[in-house]
Amino acid sequence: MAGDTAGTMQSNETYSSAPQHHVLFGFLRQARHVVACIVVGIFFLFLAGKVIPSPNMDGTRALAAGPAVSLVAELAMIGGLVAAVAIGTLLTWPDAPHAGLFIASVGLIFLACHWGPVTLLLALHQTDLAGAYRTLALQNIFWIFYILIGEALSRGIYELIGSRNWPLYLGLPWPINTSASNPVPSTAGYPSFPNSLVDSLADRPVGQRIAQNLLAFISTVIVAGIFLFLLLKSQQPGQAIFACSVAFAAGAFVSSVLAPQADAWVIWITPPIISAAGGFLAPHFAQPYPAHTGLFLMRTLPIYYSSAGLAGAIFGYYAAVRMYFRRAMEISQSNAAT
């Protein structure tokens, strides 16, 4: 009896190890995120104004090619990503390891809104819509590298200054009670796959890893595609931001549940890949009326996929991380009680 009581008390102490004054802490945490998003958004607007032609000056070229206008623009945007992730991480430290990448993706939405809808591009390319769609599709090659570099930066920054107790700042008591049957590390590692907090499979078999990644990729594409079909009903920027963020949040969450050992970067690159697929498929769909695409996937520019879509994917991914953590914590407390 005494042992059971001690175990229960230890469990309660672990559960109460989260930061006190949680209401004030939660407000400050959210306020820091808002400030960081605004700062990074203004930074991206300033940077793009220097290296990428404004849509008002050269709408066709800027909207179609995006950062691919020139090598200088591409390198400047990559440099901007490094700065944005660093700024976001420092302003939200010691939050989750992907906080900097999330802030950078939200800040990029500012630039997407500045570029506006895809309508102008379609209106200026009525005689060569297939060429315009192809250019938009190829632009996503840049965004895939952009996102992968962002993931590498997140991992590198975590190794340098990341907090090993970051689950505490997400409202998750850490560490989970350990036992011989459920060994859990006392410090939180980098969340390279959804259930990495409770299952540190460092040496996963290659075949299992490939299968999990394929399942995560396919499920994210299917779920996000369904939500985009339901939500992306117009070419307005606000509609694009809402549809992309919700679609990829749902896709990332479902894929993390179905493939809990899939690498996070596989989920991150699905937005530009879906955007690229839309660009190659769009020429086969007739316009319902001028300057409006016939394929729902092309009702927005690629930058909306790689900004709002990536932000939504990170949100959905961490929702799955919290789910796995809570489930493991409940099992641990149940074992301690018995």
Side-chain angles (χ1 to χ4, degrees):
M1 177 69 72
D4 293 343
T5 303
T8 303
M9 291 177 61
Q10 182 181 3
S11 176
N12 291 336
E13 289 174 358
T14 302
Y15 185 81
S16 62
S17 62
Q20 296 182 355
H21 308 294
H22 58 278
V23 174
L24 178 60
F25 176 81
F27 172 78
L28 293 176
R29 178 174 177 266
Q30 295 170 6
R32 287 186 307 149
H33 278 72
V34 172
V35 171
C37 291
I38 294 174
V39 170
V40 172
I42 294 174
F43 168 74
F44 270 124
L45 287 173
F46 172 80
L47 179 67
K50 297 296 183 181
V51 298
I52 300 178
S54 167
N56 295 327
M57 295 171 55
D58 191 358
T60 305
R61 195 169 177 226
L63 288 173
V69 169
S70 67
L71 181 60
V72 173
E74 291 178 346
L75 294 177
M77 285 297 292
I78 296 297
L81 171 66
V82 175
V85 173
I87 293 171
T89 301
L90 292 175
L91 291 179
T92 60
W93 189 87
D95 215 301
H98 286 101
L101 184 59
F102 177 81
I103 297 300
S105 60
V106 175
L108 193 63
I109 296 176
F110 284 60
L111 180 57
C113 292
H114 175 65
W115 284 358
V118 72
T119 308
L120 175 61
L121 176 64
L122 298 180
L124 294 173
H125 283 79
Q126 286 298 305
T127 58
D128 187 21
L129 284 176
Y133 288 136
R134 183 172 57 252
T135 303
L136 287 173
L138 294 176
Q139 182 192 142
N140 288 284
I141 297 175
F142 168 82
W143 290 117
I144 291 173
F145 282 106
Y146 178 93
I147 291 172
L148 292 177
I149 292 173
E151 170 66 12
L153 286 171
S154 298
R155 181 181 288 272
I157 292 175
Y158 176 80
E159 295 299 331
L160 292 175
I161 64 171
S163 170
R164 269 54 179 177
N165 292 320
W166 59 263
L168 287 172
Y169 301 96
L170 296 183
L172 301 174
W174 182 261
I176 305 174
N177 290 339
T178 59
S179 65
S181 61
N182 183 34
V184 180
S186 59
T187 59
Y190 184 81
S192 56
F193 53 97
N195 68 341
S196 56
L197 275 178
V198 295
D199 190 357
S200 56
L201 296 175
D203 298 321
R204 290 171 288 166
V206 175
Q208 178 183 358
R209 186 172 182 174
I210 293 175
Q212 287 278 303
N213 286 341
L214 283 175
L215 178 59
F217 178 82
I218 294 172
S219 57
T220 303
V221 168
I222 292 175
V223 173
I226 293 173
F227 273 84
L228 287 171
F229 175 75
L230 296 174
L231 300 178
L232 193 54
K233 295 300 184 181
S234 76
Q235 297 180 177
Q236 295 303 313
Q239 185 79 42
I241 294 170
F242 174 76
C244 289
S245 58
V246 173
F248 288 99
F253 180 81
V254 172
S255 66
S256 297
V257 172
L258 296 177
Q261 298 168 14
D263 294 304
W265 63 267
V266 175
I267 301 174
W268 299 167
I269 63 173
T270 53
I273 288 179
I274 290 180
S275 177
F280 287 117
L281 292 174
H284 303 288
F285 292 79
Q287 285 185 310
Y289 39 92
H292 285 75
T293 181
L295 179 63
F296 67 95
L297 292 176
M298 288 308 296
R299 288 176 182 157
T300 188
L301 296 168
I303 191 174
Y304 288 91
Y305 281 94
S306 297
S307 56
L310 177 58
I314 295 174
F315 182 88
Y317 175 85
Y318 273 90
V321 169
R322 291 174 64 94
M323 180 191 70
Y324 283 113
F325 186 96
R326 292 291 184 183
R327 182 182 301 171
M329 186 179 67
E330 291 172 359
I331 294 175
S332 178
Q333 291 179 345
S334 176
N335 292 337
T338 55

Short mmCIF file of all heavy atoms in Angstrom, two decimals, residues 252-306:
data_model
loop_
_atom_site.label_atom_id
_atom_site.label_comp_id
_atom_site.label_asym_id
_atom_site.label_seq_id
_atom_site.Cartn_x
_atom_site.Cartn_y
_atom_site.Cartn_z
N ALA A 252 -1.25 16.27 -41.93
CA ALA A 252 -0.11 15.92 -41.07
C ALA A 252 -0.56 15.13 -39.86
O ALA A 252 0.11 14.18 -39.45
CB ALA A 252 0.61 17.20 -40.64
N PHE A 253 -1.69 15.50 -39.28
CA PHE A 253 -2.17 14.78 -38.10
C PHE A 253 -2.54 13.34 -38.46
O PHE A 253 -2.13 12.40 -37.77
CB PHE A 253 -3.37 15.50 -37.49
CG PHE A 253 -3.92 14.82 -36.27
CD1 PHE A 253 -3.32 15.02 -35.03
CD2 PHE A 253 -5.02 13.98 -36.35
CE1 PHE A 253 -3.81 14.38 -33.89
CE2 PHE A 253 -5.52 13.35 -35.22
CZ PHE A 253 -4.91 13.55 -33.99
N VAL A 254 -3.29 13.16 -39.53
CA VAL A 254 -3.71 11.81 -39.93
C VAL A 254 -2.50 10.95 -40.28
O VAL A 254 -2.40 9.79 -39.88
CB VAL A 254 -4.70 11.88 -41.11
CG1 VAL A 254 -4.97 10.48 -41.66
CG2 VAL A 254 -6.00 12.54 -40.67
N SER A 255 -1.56 11.51 -41.04
CA SER A 255 -0.38 10.73 -41.43
C SER A 255 0.48 10.39 -40.22
O SER A 255 1.08 9.31 -40.17
CB SER A 255 0.44 11.50 -42.46
OG SER A 255 0.99 12.68 -41.90
N SER A 256 0.55 11.28 -39.24
CA SER A 256 1.32 10.99 -38.02
C SER A 256 0.68 9.89 -37.20
O SER A 256 1.37 9.14 -36.51
CB SER A 256 1.45 12.27 -37.18
OG SER A 256 2.18 13.27 -37.87
N VAL A 257 -0.65 9.80 -37.27
CA VAL A 257 -1.34 8.71 -36.56
C VAL A 257 -1.15 7.39 -37.29
O VAL A 257 -0.89 6.35 -36.67
CB VAL A 257 -2.85 9.04 -36.43
CG1 VAL A 257 -3.61 7.84 -35.88
CG2 VAL A 257 -3.04 10.25 -35.52
N LEU A 258 -1.24 7.43 -38.62
CA LEU A 258 -1.11 6.20 -39.39
C LEU A 258 0.33 5.72 -39.49
O LEU A 258 0.59 4.51 -39.56
CB LEU A 258 -1.67 6.41 -40.81
CG LEU A 258 -3.17 6.71 -40.91
CD1 LEU A 258 -3.55 6.96 -42.36
CD2 LEU A 258 -3.99 5.57 -40.33
N ALA A 259 1.27 6.66 -39.52
CA ALA A 259 2.70 6.32 -39.67
C ALA A 259 3.51 7.06 -38.61
O ALA A 259 4.20 8.05 -38.91
CB ALA A 259 3.19 6.67 -41.07
N PRO A 260 3.43 6.61 -37.34
CA PRO A 260 4.09 7.34 -36.26
C PRO A 260 5.61 7.31 -36.30
O PRO A 260 6.25 8.01 -35.53
CB PRO A 260 3.57 6.63 -35.00
CG PRO A 260 3.21 5.26 -35.46
CD PRO A 260 2.71 5.43 -36.87
N GLN A 261 6.20 6.50 -37.18
CA GLN A 261 7.65 6.43 -37.28
C GLN A 261 8.16 7.06 -38.57
O GLN A 261 9.31 6.84 -38.96
CB GLN A 261 8.10 4.98 -37.17
CG GLN A 261 7.76 4.33 -35.84
CD GLN A 261 7.95 2.84 -35.84
OE1 GLN A 261 8.59 2.29 -36.74
NE2 GLN A 261 7.40 2.15 -34.86
N ALA A 262 7.33 7.85 -39.23
CA ALA A 262 7.74 8.52 -40.46
C ALA A 262 8.53 9.78 -40.12
O ALA A 262 8.28 10.45 -39.12
CB ALA A 262 6.52 8.88 -41.30
N ASP A 263 9.48 10.11 -40.97
CA ASP A 263 10.28 11.32 -40.76
C ASP A 263 9.45 12.57 -41.01
O ASP A 263 8.63 12.61 -41.95
CB ASP A 263 11.49 11.31 -41.70
CG ASP A 263 12.46 10.18 -41.37
OD1 ASP A 263 12.92 10.13 -40.22
OD2 ASP A 263 12.73 9.37 -42.26
N ALA A 264 9.69 13.59 -40.19
CA ALA A 264 8.90 14.81 -40.30
C ALA A 264 9.06 15.49 -41.65
O ALA A 264 8.10 16.05 -42.20
CB ALA A 264 9.29 15.77 -39.17
N TRP A 265 10.27 15.47 -42.22
CA TRP A 265 10.50 16.19 -43.47
C TRP A 265 9.64 15.65 -44.61
O TRP A 265 9.34 16.38 -45.56
CB TRP A 265 11.97 16.15 -43.85
CG TRP A 265 12.53 14.78 -44.12
CD1 TRP A 265 13.16 13.96 -43.25
CD2 TRP A 265 12.50 14.08 -45.37
NE1 TRP A 265 13.54 12.78 -43.86
CE2 TRP A 265 13.15 12.83 -45.17
CE3 TRP A 265 12.00 14.37 -46.65
CZ2 TRP A 265 13.29 11.89 -46.18
CZ3 TRP A 265 12.14 13.43 -47.66
CH2 TRP A 265 12.78 12.21 -47.42
N VAL A 266 9.25 14.37 -44.52
CA VAL A 266 8.38 13.80 -45.55
C VAL A 266 7.04 14.51 -45.57
O VAL A 266 6.44 14.74 -46.63
CB VAL A 266 8.20 12.29 -45.31
CG1 VAL A 266 7.20 11.70 -46.30
CG2 VAL A 266 9.54 11.57 -45.43
N ILE A 267 6.56 14.87 -44.39
CA ILE A 267 5.30 15.61 -44.28
C ILE A 267 5.48 17.05 -44.73
O ILE A 267 4.62 17.62 -45.41
CB ILE A 267 4.77 15.55 -42.85
CG1 ILE A 267 4.54 14.10 -42.43
CG2 ILE A 267 3.48 16.37 -42.69
CD1 ILE A 267 4.14 13.93 -40.97
N TRP A 268 6.61 17.65 -44.38
CA TRP A 268 6.84 19.07 -44.70
C TRP A 268 6.83 19.34 -46.20
O TRP A 268 6.39 20.41 -46.62
CB TRP A 268 8.18 19.54 -44.15
CG TRP A 268 8.46 19.49 -42.69
CD1 TRP A 268 9.70 19.63 -42.10
CD2 TRP A 268 7.56 19.34 -41.57
NE1 TRP A 268 9.60 19.55 -40.74
CE2 TRP A 268 8.31 19.38 -40.39
CE3 TRP A 268 6.18 19.17 -41.48
CZ2 TRP A 268 7.73 19.25 -39.11
CZ3 TRP A 268 5.61 19.03 -40.22
CH2 TRP A 268 6.37 19.09 -39.06
N ILE A 269 7.33 18.40 -47.01
CA ILE A 269 7.47 18.69 -48.45
C ILE A 269 6.20 18.41 -49.25
O ILE A 269 6.17 18.67 -50.46
CB ILE A 269 8.64 17.89 -49.06
CG1 ILE A 269 8.37 16.38 -48.97
CG2 ILE A 269 9.96 18.26 -48.40
CD1 ILE A 269 9.40 15.54 -49.71
N THR A 270 5.16 17.91 -48.60
CA THR A 270 3.93 17.64 -49.36
C THR A 270 3.25 18.88 -49.92
O THR A 270 2.69 18.81 -51.03
CB THR A 270 2.93 16.84 -48.50
OG1 THR A 270 2.72 17.52 -47.25
CG2 THR A 270 3.45 15.44 -48.22
N PRO A 271 3.26 20.05 -49.24
CA PRO A 271 2.60 21.22 -49.85
C PRO A 271 3.17 21.61 -51.21
O PRO A 271 2.40 21.74 -52.18
CB PRO A 271 2.77 22.31 -48.80
CG PRO A 271 2.88 21.57 -47.51
CD PRO A 271 3.63 20.33 -47.83
N PRO A 272 4.50 21.80 -51.36
CA PRO A 272 4.98 22.17 -52.70
C PRO A 272 4.82 21.05 -53.72
O PRO A 272 4.67 21.33 -54.91
CB PRO A 272 6.47 22.50 -52.46
CG PRO A 272 6.83 21.80 -51.20
CD PRO A 272 5.60 21.83 -50.36
N ILE A 273 4.83 19.80 -53.29
CA ILE A 273 4.65 18.70 -54.24
C ILE A 273 3.22 18.70 -54.77
O ILE A 273 2.98 18.50 -55.97
CB ILE A 273 5.01 17.36 -53.59
CG1 ILE A 273 6.53 17.27 -53.40
CG2 ILE A 273 4.51 16.18 -54.43
CD1 ILE A 273 7.01 16.00 -52.75
N ILE A 274 2.24 18.92 -53.90
CA ILE A 274 0.85 19.01 -54.36
C ILE A 274 0.68 20.22 -55.29
O ILE A 274 -0.01 20.13 -56.31
CB ILE A 274 -0.11 19.11 -53.17
CG1 ILE A 274 -0.15 17.77 -52.43
CG2 ILE A 274 -1.51 19.51 -53.61
CD1 ILE A 274 -1.06 17.76 -51.22
N SER A 275 1.33 21.32 -54.94
CA SER A 275 1.26 22.51 -55.79
C SER A 275 1.87 22.22 -57.17
O SER A 275 1.32 22.64 -58.20
CB SER A 275 2.00 23.67 -55.12
OG SER A 275 2.01 24.81 -55.96
N ALA A 276 2.98 21.50 -57.20
CA ALA A 276 3.62 21.16 -58.47
C ALA A 276 2.72 20.25 -59.30
O ALA A 276 2.57 20.44 -60.52
CB ALA A 276 4.96 20.49 -58.22
N ALA A 277 2.10 19.28 -58.65
CA ALA A 277 1.18 18.39 -59.36
C ALA A 277 0.03 19.18 -59.96
O ALA A 277 -0.40 18.92 -61.10
CB ALA A 277 0.65 17.32 -58.41
N GLY A 278 -0.48 20.16 -59.21
CA GLY A 278 -1.55 21.00 -59.74
C GLY A 278 -1.13 21.78 -60.97
O GLY A 278 -1.90 21.93 -61.92
N GLY A 279 0.13 22.26 -60.97
CA GLY A 279 0.63 23.00 -62.12
C GLY A 279 0.70 22.16 -63.38
O GLY A 279 0.42 22.65 -64.49
N PHE A 280 1.09 20.89 -63.24
CA PHE A 280 1.19 20.02 -64.41
C PHE A 280 -0.18 19.51 -64.87
O PHE A 280 -0.36 19.20 -66.06
CB PHE A 280 2.11 18.84 -64.10
CG PHE A 280 3.56 19.21 -64.02
CD1 PHE A 280 4.27 19.07 -62.84
CD2 PHE A 280 4.22 19.72 -65.13
CE1 PHE A 280 5.61 19.41 -62.77
CE2 PHE A 280 5.57 20.07 -65.08
CZ PHE A 280 6.26 19.92 -63.88
N LEU A 281 -1.15 19.43 -63.96
CA LEU A 281 -2.47 18.93 -64.33
C LEU A 281 -3.40 20.04 -64.83
O LEU A 281 -4.33 19.77 -65.59
CB LEU A 281 -3.12 18.25 -63.11
CG LEU A 281 -2.48 16.95 -62.63
CD1 LEU A 281 -3.14 16.48 -61.33
CD2 LEU A 281 -2.58 15.87 -63.70
N ALA A 282 -3.16 21.27 -64.40
CA ALA A 282 -4.08 22.37 -64.69
C ALA A 282 -4.35 22.60 -66.18
O ALA A 282 -5.48 22.93 -66.54
CB ALA A 282 -3.56 23.66 -64.05
N PRO A 283 -3.35 22.44 -67.10
CA PRO A 283 -3.65 22.68 -68.52
C PRO A 283 -4.74 21.79 -69.09
O PRO A 283 -5.31 22.10 -70.14
CB PRO A 283 -2.29 22.42 -69.21
CG PRO A 283 -1.28 22.68 -68.15
CD PRO A 283 -1.91 22.20 -66.88
N HIS A 284 -5.03 20.68 -68.42
CA HIS A 284 -6.04 19.76 -68.92
C HIS A 284 -7.46 20.12 -68.44
O HIS A 284 -8.41 19.41 -68.77
CB HIS A 284 -5.71 18.34 -68.49
CG HIS A 284 -4.34 17.88 -68.93
ND1 HIS A 284 -4.05 17.58 -70.23
CD2 HIS A 284 -3.19 17.72 -68.23
CE1 HIS A 284 -2.77 17.22 -70.33
NE2 HIS A 284 -2.23 17.29 -69.12
N PHE A 285 -7.58 21.22 -67.69
CA PHE A 285 -8.88 21.65 -67.18
C PHE A 285 -9.21 23.01 -67.77
O PHE A 285 -8.44 23.97 -67.64
CB PHE A 285 -8.85 21.75 -65.64
CG PHE A 285 -8.73 20.42 -64.95
CD1 PHE A 285 -7.49 19.79 -64.85
CD2 PHE A 285 -9.85 19.79 -64.42
CE1 PHE A 285 -7.37 18.56 -64.21
CE2 PHE A 285 -9.73 18.56 -63.78
CZ PHE A 285 -8.50 17.95 -63.69
N ALA A 286 -10.35 23.10 -68.41
CA ALA A 286 -10.76 24.35 -69.05
C ALA A 286 -11.12 25.40 -68.02
O ALA A 286 -11.65 25.08 -66.94
CB ALA A 286 -11.95 24.10 -69.97
N GLN A 287 -10.85 26.65 -68.34
CA GLN A 287 -11.21 27.76 -67.45
C GLN A 287 -12.73 27.94 -67.43
O GLN A 287 -13.36 28.00 -68.49
CB GLN A 287 -10.56 29.06 -67.93
CG GLN A 287 -9.08 29.17 -67.65
CD GLN A 287 -8.54 30.53 -68.03
OE1 GLN A 287 -8.78 31.03 -69.14
NE2 GLN A 287 -7.82 31.15 -67.12
N PRO A 288 -13.33 28.06 -66.25
CA PRO A 288 -14.78 28.32 -66.20
C PRO A 288 -15.11 29.71 -66.74
O PRO A 288 -16.16 29.89 -67.36
CB PRO A 288 -15.10 28.19 -64.71
CG PRO A 288 -13.81 28.46 -64.02
CD PRO A 288 -12.75 27.93 -64.92
N TYR A 289 -14.23 30.66 -66.49
CA TYR A 289 -14.32 31.99 -67.08
C TYR A 289 -12.94 32.63 -67.00
O TYR A 289 -12.05 32.13 -66.28
CB TYR A 289 -15.39 32.87 -66.40
CG TYR A 289 -15.48 32.74 -64.91
CD1 TYR A 289 -14.76 33.56 -64.06
CD2 TYR A 289 -16.35 31.80 -64.33
CE1 TYR A 289 -14.87 33.45 -62.69
CE2 TYR A 289 -16.46 31.68 -62.96
CZ TYR A 289 -15.72 32.51 -62.15
OH TYR A 289 -15.82 32.39 -60.78
N PRO A 290 -12.68 33.72 -67.73
CA PRO A 290 -11.33 34.27 -67.85
C PRO A 290 -10.65 34.53 -66.50
O PRO A 290 -11.28 34.98 -65.54
CB PRO A 290 -11.55 35.57 -68.63
CG PRO A 290 -12.79 35.32 -69.42
CD PRO A 290 -13.65 34.46 -68.54
N ALA A 291 -9.34 34.26 -66.47
CA ALA A 291 -8.48 34.51 -65.31
C ALA A 291 -8.83 33.64 -64.11
O ALA A 291 -8.45 33.96 -62.98
CB ALA A 291 -8.50 35.98 -64.92
N HIS A 292 -9.56 32.57 -64.32
CA HIS A 292 -9.90 31.64 -63.23
C HIS A 292 -9.59 30.22 -63.69
O HIS A 292 -10.09 29.77 -64.72
CB HIS A 292 -11.37 31.77 -62.83
CG HIS A 292 -11.65 33.00 -62.03
ND1 HIS A 292 -11.70 34.24 -62.62
CD2 HIS A 292 -11.87 33.17 -60.70
CE1 HIS A 292 -11.97 35.14 -61.68
NE2 HIS A 292 -12.06 34.53 -60.51
N THR A 293 -8.76 29.53 -62.92
CA THR A 293 -8.34 28.19 -63.29
C THR A 293 -9.47 27.19 -63.12
O THR A 293 -10.35 27.36 -62.27
CB THR A 293 -7.13 27.77 -62.43
OG1 THR A 293 -6.72 26.46 -62.82
CG2 THR A 293 -7.49 27.75 -60.96
N GLY A 294 -9.41 26.13 -63.91
CA GLY A 294 -10.43 25.10 -63.81
C GLY A 294 -10.09 24.02 -62.80
O GLY A 294 -10.94 23.18 -62.47
N LEU A 295 -8.84 24.02 -62.27
CA LEU A 295 -8.41 23.01 -61.29
C LEU A 295 -8.26 23.67 -59.93
O LEU A 295 -7.53 24.66 -59.80
CB LEU A 295 -7.08 22.39 -61.73
CG LEU A 295 -6.49 21.34 -60.78
CD1 LEU A 295 -7.40 20.14 -60.66
CD2 LEU A 295 -5.10 20.93 -61.26
N PHE A 296 -8.90 23.12 -58.92
CA PHE A 296 -8.90 23.75 -57.60
C PHE A 296 -7.50 23.88 -57.00
O PHE A 296 -7.23 24.81 -56.23
CB PHE A 296 -9.81 22.97 -56.64
CG PHE A 296 -9.33 21.58 -56.30
CD1 PHE A 296 -8.58 21.35 -55.15
CD2 PHE A 296 -9.63 20.51 -57.11
CE1 PHE A 296 -8.15 20.09 -54.82
CE2 PHE A 296 -9.19 19.23 -56.80
CZ PHE A 296 -8.44 19.02 -55.64
N LEU A 297 -6.59 22.96 -57.33
CA LEU A 297 -5.24 23.01 -56.76
C LEU A 297 -4.47 24.24 -57.22
O LEU A 297 -3.51 24.66 -56.54
CB LEU A 297 -4.45 21.75 -57.16
CG LEU A 297 -4.92 20.43 -56.57
CD1 LEU A 297 -4.11 19.28 -57.12
CD2 LEU A 297 -4.85 20.46 -55.04
N MET A 298 -4.85 24.84 -58.32
CA MET A 298 -4.14 26.00 -58.85
C MET A 298 -4.87 27.30 -58.58
O MET A 298 -4.62 28.30 -59.26
CB MET A 298 -3.91 25.83 -60.35
CG MET A 298 -2.87 24.77 -60.69
SD MET A 298 -1.31 25.02 -59.81
CE MET A 298 -0.80 26.59 -60.50
N ARG A 299 -5.74 27.32 -57.59
CA ARG A 299 -6.43 28.56 -57.25
C ARG A 299 -5.58 29.47 -56.37
O ARG A 299 -6.08 30.48 -55.87
CB ARG A 299 -7.75 28.23 -56.55
CG ARG A 299 -8.80 27.68 -57.51
CD ARG A 299 -10.07 27.27 -56.82
NE ARG A 299 -11.03 26.71 -57.78
CZ ARG A 299 -12.01 25.89 -57.47
NH1 ARG A 299 -12.18 25.52 -56.20
NH2 ARG A 299 -12.82 25.41 -58.40
N THR A 300 -4.33 29.11 -56.17
CA THR A 300 -3.44 29.96 -55.39
C THR A 300 -2.01 29.74 -55.86
O THR A 300 -1.69 28.75 -56.54
CB THR A 300 -3.55 29.65 -53.89
OG1 THR A 300 -2.82 30.61 -53.15
CG2 THR A 300 -3.04 28.26 -53.57
N LEU A 301 -1.14 30.66 -55.50
CA LEU A 301 0.27 30.59 -55.89
C LEU A 301 1.03 29.59 -55.02
O LEU A 301 0.63 29.30 -53.89
CB LEU A 301 0.91 31.97 -55.74
CG LEU A 301 0.38 33.07 -56.65
CD1 LEU A 301 0.88 34.43 -56.19
CD2 LEU A 301 0.79 32.80 -58.09
N PRO A 302 2.14 29.06 -55.52
CA PRO A 302 2.93 28.10 -54.73
C PRO A 302 3.38 28.62 -53.39
O PRO A 302 3.51 27.84 -52.43
CB PRO A 302 4.13 27.82 -55.64
CG PRO A 302 3.62 28.04 -57.02
CD PRO A 302 2.66 29.19 -56.90
N ILE A 303 3.61 29.92 -53.26
CA ILE A 303 4.09 30.45 -52.00
C ILE A 303 3.07 30.27 -50.87
O ILE A 303 3.44 30.12 -49.71
CB ILE A 303 4.46 31.96 -52.15
CG1 ILE A 303 5.21 32.44 -50.91
CG2 ILE A 303 3.23 32.81 -52.42
CD1 ILE A 303 5.74 33.85 -51.04
N TYR A 304 1.78 30.21 -51.20
CA TYR A 304 0.77 29.97 -50.17
C TYR A 304 0.87 28.54 -49.65
O TYR A 304 0.66 28.28 -48.45
CB TYR A 304 -0.63 30.23 -50.72
CG TYR A 304 -0.94 31.68 -50.93
CD1 TYR A 304 -0.68 32.29 -52.17
CD2 TYR A 304 -1.49 32.45 -49.92
CE1 TYR A 304 -0.96 33.63 -52.37
CE2 TYR A 304 -1.77 33.80 -50.12
CZ TYR A 304 -1.50 34.38 -51.34
OH TYR A 304 -1.78 35.71 -51.54
N TYR A 305 1.18 27.60 -50.53
CA TYR A 305 1.37 26.21 -50.10
C TYR A 305 2.57 26.10 -49.16
O TYR A 305 2.52 25.40 -48.15
CB TYR A 305 1.59 25.31 -51.31
CG TYR A 305 0.32 24.94 -52.05
CD1 TYR A 305 -0.10 25.68 -53.15
CD2 TYR A 305 -0.43 23.84 -51.67
CE1 TYR A 305 -1.26 25.33 -53.84
CE2 TYR A 305 -1.58 23.49 -52.36
CZ TYR A 305 -1.99 24.23 -53.43
OH TYR A 305 -3.13 23.88 -54.11
N SER A 306 3.67 26.78 -49.52
CA SER A 306 4.91 26.64 -48.75
C SER A 306 4.95 27.54 -47.53
O SER A 306 5.91 27.47 -46.76
CB SER A 306 6.11 26.94 -49.66
OG SER A 306 6.17 26.00 -50.71
#
